[in-house]
Each structure stands twice: as structure tokens, then as C-alpha cells.
């Protein structure tokens, strides 16, 4: 009997994990059936999704042939603890109001919570209904659990990502660090992992979007999974499990943000070229059967990697990364400009290059060891101190920004400081509260400025989780070809404008200041001043109340200011205005 028991097979950790996740899924089904409107249901779904993601990340590492030993696990935990402290410190030392792109996911989280409050069917239907949009609700499945335990402010949403996004992301990054070390046959594994992992983890544009409550870096989990599963895979044998993981990672990264498609296209095209070159090389070497089955600180770091790859005759990694980087950049910039969060498109290629550089530095660490270690520490400190601001174009630390004062950038730096660490938050809150108190049922206000410095989102979101102005203060009119003629202005009881009119982003093409100019000409006959708010930085806001009914002549006066735009986009200007006039009998 003892012999039989000793020979009885025990479940592997993978099987135990799968059974646990399956049991969790059944429990969720049971909770959803018995308590469909329970407030805990969506957070429990989110917790289960995060566990599935972490389990999937471990499975990717296993499939890619990467094993984490005690040293790697200890390093991941230590760096994660450091990240917690960093986010807590960085978010707590500033006053930032989340608006525009920086509040989209927070609003989606609130909306998804409201949908799940109606029941599981309504919740999942709401999430799936957004899968064809650029901002899907896919990420809300993973961010709800830590977010539900917070005060639900903008800062708490940004901080929640440390617990629901960063663990799986760090797991992928650590695996990618080890995998590239394996490909390059690194001997000094200790220094390579410490230098490489710390470098890629502190890369400013990796965390930039997270600091601004944009969890777009969530998609990098799947980008790194794709790299891990393909970097050294040449189809020597068919692996259905690997193919399924690649497919799932590709689908998930596209659901994270639609513009990750540019990475997918760029990387897979470059990977196909690599396979073709590898096949030709193998055929030339006589292995025809196998060939048929094969289908500035940063610059210094990259140079180390190129030197090592040339020395060891392993050019595939930097060539693949550079090819993917250039192709993705070319495709994306043909469509739109890159913001700080869209820099995530290029992070996978940079990570490969940086890790090659870390390998070159680690392998030669014994030569000029002290200067190289000092360089490593300096770059880490430089990267960690980079300001994560909405206006960030160049990743520079605070002390460099304050010391660097060229005349042509003085105004830009001033606006950067005003938006990153707001000193006018109490004034904005006071103005928002005034509107809340004076707007009656069904009444709306309209804010003409729509700029990074001041826009309606600042008033709506200045006191999260309270957002009493939702539905009472619509988005404004600013970008040609994107924003429709603002009929909300003619519906508004109150109009909010500013002196001087803020223009920090695109003064040559921005439409709001031209609309404001017409308002300045007509306001004495259509509105009266009822309140003013001094922001304390040279800007004074004035609230105007409409005193006369809207006429066709007034609407046409505003419309004629945009005759040039109307000629290009009549469906966004004259058609919208005429429809509004018809509805109102004018």
C-alpha cells in the first residue's frame, strides 16, 4: 500500500494554479447568480482577472525557457517595493488635475462600476461593447480591485496601477532580461541582470503614462510576452502552446490600446525578415532541412550593446529592434503625432537595445569598474528624477529643467510647471462649486477655453470622486477636424471665459480663441457678468449669464468666423448649426 501511495502522481504547481483559477471562476458564476447587484462582484472579477494575468505571465516565462531563481525573485520584490515608494512620493508631492486624456480611464472605471451595479450581464455587455473603440474598457477589468479600496481620486487611480499592472509587467521585464542574456550567452549574470533590469524598469517613458493615470503601459505586458515567445524561436519544431500564447498576447495588446497595432505590424514584419535571413544563412551553411523549417545616455548604453553583439557575431537582436522601431515610428507618425503615452509603442525596441547595452557593460565590468558603476547609478538617478508632466517632450529631471532657461522655451517651461503642479486648484474648485450651486435642473454651462492649462475637464474633475458637473459642462471647441461647431454654447445659461485667453498647445490652428474673439464682440448685447475668479497666476476667469434669447443672426455670426473650416468640414459646422436652429425653431 505504501508503495502504491509513493508512486501516486501529485499535481504540478501549474495544475494546482489552473484548478484554483477554475474554482475561482465557478465561485464568481455562483456569486453573480445569487447576488447579481452585489457591490463586491466587479472587484472580485477584477481580482480573478489579475490572478489569471499573473498566471499567464508565469506560463509565458515557462514556455520561453526562462526560470526565475531566488535571486531574480528577490530582485523583483525589492524593485517593486521601491516602485511603491517612488509612486507614493511622486504623486504626493504635486497637485495635478486629471483632464483630457488623463481622465479617460478614470471615467471609464466609474462607468464600468455603474454598469456592473446593474448586474453581471450589463457589466460585461458594457465592456465588450467598447472593444471596437480606441479607449476600450478591457483595462478596467484589471484595475478595479485595487481602485475600489482607495478614495477613488485621480492620484489613487494612478497609484492603484502599482498593484494591478506593475507586478505582471515586472515579471515580463525580468524574463525578457534573462532571455536576452541567454541569447547573448552572458557570463557575468549577476551584474547583467541588476544593471539591465534596473535600467529598463526606470526608463522614464515606461512610467510616464502611469504617473498621469493612463494605464496604457498595461499593453506592454503583452508586448514583452510576444518578444519572449519569439526572440529566439525559429520554428525548429511546432509548439501549439506557444502559438496560442502568441495569439492571445497579440489580441490582448490590441484590446489594450488600438495604436499598439503599429507595434504589432512593425515587429511581426521585422521578425519575418529575421526568419528569412536566418533561413538563408542556415541554407548557406548546408543546413537546408533546418532552413526550410525555420520560416545620449541611452546612446552610450546602446553602443555598449552593439559592440558586444558585433564582437560575438550576434547582430539579430539590435537589427530586429532597430528595424521594428523605425517601421513602427514611420507608420505611426504618418497618422498622428506621438504624445508621451504613445512613446510606449517604441519601448519594446528600446528595451531590447538597452538590455544588449547592459550585457556589453556587464561583460566588461572588470575594466574601469568604478567609472562604469558610477555611470550606471547616475543614469538611474537621472531617470527616476525625470518630470512626468503632460507637456513632457524631452525626459529631463527637475533640476535640469530649473537650471535650463533658454529664452525661446521660457514660456513653455512656465506652462509645464503650471500644469504639472497646480497652485490654482482651490480657485478651480471654487469656480466649479459656483457653477454647481447656480445651475438648475436641466441647465448647462459652456467654457470657451479648451487648453492644457485650462479646459472644462479641470472643472469637472477637480474634486474627484465628486463630479457634479458631468452633463452640465460639455467639452469645448478647439481642434479642427475633430471638434464640432459648439451648439452647447447657445444652450448654456452661463459662459465661462478667461483673460488672457490660454494658448499653450497649437495657437496657429486652435479654434477656441477665434470663437472667444466673436464672444468679446457680442457679449454686451447677449450676456451679463455675474462672477470672476482670479487664478493667482495672471489669469482671471469671468462667468457670464445669458440675458437675451439666441437668434439665427447670432448663430450665423459665430458660424461665419469659421467659413474656411466649414468649406472643408461642412458636416461638422454648417450642418450641425442648421440642425440646431431647426430643432429650436430658428
Amino acid at each position: 500500500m505504501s508503495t502504491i501511495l509513493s508512486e501516486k502522481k501529485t499535481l504540478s504547481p501549474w495544475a494546482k494554479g489552473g484548478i484554483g483559477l477554475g474554482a475561482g471562476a465557478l465561485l464568481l458564476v455562483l456569486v453573480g447568480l445569487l447576488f447579481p447587484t452585489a457591490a463586491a462582484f466587479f472587484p472580485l472579477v477584477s481580482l480573478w482577472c489579475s490572478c489569471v494575468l499573473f498566471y499567464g505571465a508565469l506560463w509565458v516565462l515557462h514556455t520561453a525557457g526562462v526560470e526565475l531563481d531566488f535571486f531574480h525573485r528577490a530582485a523583483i520584490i525589492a524593485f517593486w517595493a521601491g516602485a511603491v515608494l517612488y509612486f507614493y512620493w511622486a504623486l504626493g508631492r504635486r497637485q495635478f488635475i486629471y483632464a483630457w486624456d488623463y481622465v479617460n480611464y478614470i471615467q471609464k472605471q466609474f462607468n464600468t462600476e455603474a454598469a456592473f451595479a446593474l448586474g453581471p450581464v450589463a457589466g460585461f455587455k458594457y465592456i465588450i461593447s467598447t472593444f471596437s473603440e480606441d479607449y476600450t474598457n478591457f483595462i478596467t477589468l484589471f484595475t478595479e480591485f485595487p481602485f475600489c479600496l482607495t478614495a477613488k481620486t485621480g492620484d489613487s487611480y494612478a497609484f492603484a496601477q502599482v498593484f494591478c499592472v506593475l507586478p505582471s509587467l515586472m515579471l515580463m521585464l525580468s524574463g525578457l532580461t534573462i532571455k536576452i542574456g541567454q541569447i547573448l550567452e552572458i557570463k557575468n549574470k549577476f551584474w547583467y541582470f541588476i544593471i539591465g533590469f534596473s535600467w529598463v524598469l526606470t526608463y522614464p517613458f515606461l512610467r510616464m503614462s502611469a504617473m498621469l493615470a493612463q494605464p496604457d503601459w498595461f499593453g506592454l505586458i503583452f508586448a514583452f510576452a510576444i518578444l519572449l515567445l519569439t526572440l529566439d524561436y525559429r520554428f525548429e519544431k511546432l509548439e501549439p502552446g506557444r502559438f496560442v500564447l502568441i495569439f492571445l498576447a497579440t489580441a490582448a495588446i490590441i484590446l489594450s490600446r488600438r495604436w499598439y497595432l503599429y507595434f504589432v505590424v512593425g515587429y511581426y514584419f521585422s521578425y519575418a525578415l529575421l526568419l528569412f535571413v536566418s533561413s538563408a544563412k542556415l541554407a548557406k551553411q548546408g543546413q537546408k532541412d533546418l532552413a526550410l523549417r525555420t520560416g545620449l545616455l541611452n546612446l552610450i548604453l546602446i553602443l555598449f550593446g552593439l559592440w558586444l553583439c558585433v564582437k560575438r557575431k550576434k547582430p539579430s537582436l539590435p537589427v530586429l529592434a532597430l528595424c521594428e522601431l523605425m517601421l513602427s515610428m514611420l507608420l505611426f507618425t504618418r497618422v498622428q503625432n506621438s504624445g508621451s503615452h504613445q512613446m510606449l509603442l517604441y519601448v519594446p525596441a528600446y528595451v531590447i537595445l538597452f538590455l544588449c547595452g547592459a550585457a556589453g557593460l556587464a561583460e566588461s565590468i572588470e575594466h574601469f569598474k568604478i567609472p562604469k558603476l558610477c555611470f550606471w547609478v547616475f543614469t538611474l538617478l537621472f531617470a527616476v528624477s525625470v518630470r512626468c508632466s503632460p507637456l513632457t517632450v524631452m525626459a529631463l529631471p527637475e533640476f535640469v529643467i530649473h537650471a535650463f532657461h533658454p529664452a525661446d522655451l521660457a514660456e513653455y517651461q512656465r506652462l509645464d510647471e503650471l500644469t504639472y503642479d497646480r497652485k490654482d486648484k482651490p480657485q478651480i474648485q471654487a469656480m466649479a462649486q459656483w457653477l454647481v450651486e447656480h445651475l438648475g435642473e436641466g441647465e448647462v454651462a459652456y467654457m470657451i477655453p479648451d487648453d492644457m492649462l485650462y479646459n472644462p475637464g479641470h472643472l469637472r474633475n477637480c474634486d474627484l470622486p465628486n463630479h457634479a458637473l458631468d452633463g452640465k459642462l460639455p467639452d469645448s471647441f478647439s481642434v479642427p477636424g475633430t471638434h464640432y461647431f459648439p451648439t452647447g454654447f447657445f444652450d448654456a445659461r452661463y459662459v465661462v471665459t478667461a483673460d488672457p485667453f490660454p494658448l499653450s498647445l497649437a495657437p496657429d490652428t486652435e479654434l477656441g480663441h477665434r470663437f472667444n474673439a466673436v464672444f468679446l464682440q457680442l457679449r454686451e448685447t447677449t450676456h451679463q457678468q455675474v462672477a470672476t475668479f482670479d487664478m493667482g497666476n495672471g489669469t482671471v476667469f469671468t462667468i457670464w449669464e445669458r440675458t437675451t434669447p439666441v437668434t439665427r443672426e447670432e448663430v450665423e455670426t459665430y458660424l461665419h468666423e469659421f467659413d474656411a473650416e466649414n468649406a472643408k468640414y461642412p458636416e461638422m459646422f454648417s450642418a450641425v448649426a442648421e440642425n440646431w436652429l431647426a430643432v429650436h425653431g430658428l
Side-chain angles (χ1 to χ4, degrees), residues 105-127:
Y105 282 109
I106 301 171
Q107 293 289 4
K108 282 189 171 293
Q109 204 71 42
F110 289 147
N111 294 339
T112 309
E113 289 177 344
F116 270 99
L118 302 175
V121 174
F124 286 114
K125 183 178 179 180
Y126 176 70
I127 288 176

Side-chain angles (χ1 to χ4, degrees), residues 512-531:
H513 71 289
R514 290 163 56 191
F515 196 92
N516 187 68
V518 180
F519 176 73
L520 295 180
Q521 296 173 9
L522 302 182
R523 67 186 181 188
E524 297 301 329
T525 59
T526 59
H527 293 76
Q528 67 178 2
Q529 178 178 324
V530 291

Side-chain angles (χ1 to χ4, degrees), residues 131-146:
F131 279 1
S132 62
E133 301 174 6
D134 186 18
Y135 283 97
T136 73
N137 284 297
F138 180 60
I139 294 176
T140 65
L141 281 169
F142 301 87
T143 51
E144 172 61 19
F145 176 69

Side-chain angles (χ1 to χ4, degrees), residues 60-68 72 171-186 189 192-193 197 224-234 239 242 267 314 316-317 320 351-352 355-356 359:
V60 167
L61 296 186
H62 176 73
T63 304
V66 172
E67 297 295 333
L68 300 177
H72 298 130
L171 202 61
M172 292 287 93
L173 267 178
S174 63
L176 193 58
T177 303
I178 296 171
K179 169 56 65 178
I180 289 179
Q182 291 174 349
I183 295 172
L184 296 178
E185 300 176 354
I186 298 303
K189 296 180 180 179
Y192 163 70
F193 184 83
F197 186 57
F224 295 148
I226 292 171
L227 296 185
L228 272 164
L229 294 166
T230 57
L231 279 181
D232 63 345
Y233 182 61
R234 299 294 180 266
E239 299 182 33
R242 185 186 294 260
Y267 179 75
K314 294 180 179 292
S316 60
L317 285 176
L320 175 66
V351 165
I352 294 175
L355 290 175
C356 289

Side-chain angles (χ1 to χ4, degrees), residues 311-323:
K311 180 180 178 181
R312 297 197 173 175
K313 297 180 181 180
K314 294 180 179 292
S316 60
L317 285 176
V319 170
L320 175 66
L322 289 170
C323 183

